[in-house]
Amino acid sequence: MPRRNCYYDTATGKEDQYIRHLLNGNQHDGKAKILLNIIKNDLTARQNEIFVLYYFKSLSMPEIAKICNVSNQAVSAIISRARKRIFRYMKYYFQ
């Protein structure tokens, strides 16, 4: 099977929208602060690096892959795992 030459950023689900909403909005209920603490303290170094490049620097997945010397699929998987970890911790905080 031929290798795909381009990769489109398809992280547009509800989880992605919620994280972007928390990071871009002025949340007075503390959710944004908790999210930032989770990103800083509870993600692995690689997850943290890629998550920051994706959400804070607004780089595309192919750009991040080039910077980090990994495949596009690896970037997508790392962001997905980071999101799952973040929501697992946020669920703990808000139960």
Side-chain angles (χ1 to χ4, degrees):
M1 180 178 276
R3 188 169 186 181
R4 190 184 321 180
N5 290 330
C6 63
Y7 188 81
Y8 295 102
D9 188 356
T10 57
T12 57
K14 289 181 183 179
E15 295 87 3
D16 185 65
Q17 290 174 1
Y18 183 69
I19 289 172
R20 289 184 191 279
H21 172 74
L22 286 178
L23 293 175
N24 294 330
N26 294 326
Q27 297 292 323
H28 298 290
D29 59 359
K31 289 181 183 178
K33 186 175 180 180
I34 291 171
L35 175 61
L36 292 173
N37 283 335
I38 292 170
I39 292 168
K40 181 180 173 184
N41 299 322
D42 297 320
L43 296 181
T44 66
R46 177 63 90 176
Q47 287 174 341
N48 190 336
E49 175 188 16
I50 290 177
F51 202 83
V52 167
L53 289 173
Y54 185 72
Y55 283 101
F56 292 96
K57 304 286 184 179
S58 299
L59 296 179
S60 68
M61 288 187 190
E63 291 171 328
I64 296 169
K66 222 177 253 188
I67 291 169
C68 297
N69 292 324
V70 296
S71 69
N72 296 327
Q73 292 81 6
V75 172
S76 178
I78 290 168
I79 290 172
S80 177
R81 285 193 299 269
R83 262 195 235 111
K84 286 179 184 176
R85 181 175 280 197
I86 286 169
F87 281 109
R88 188 171 58 240
Y89 279 101
M90 288 190 78
K91 187 189 264 187
Y92 169 78
Y93 280 108
F94 296 110
Q95 279 186 342

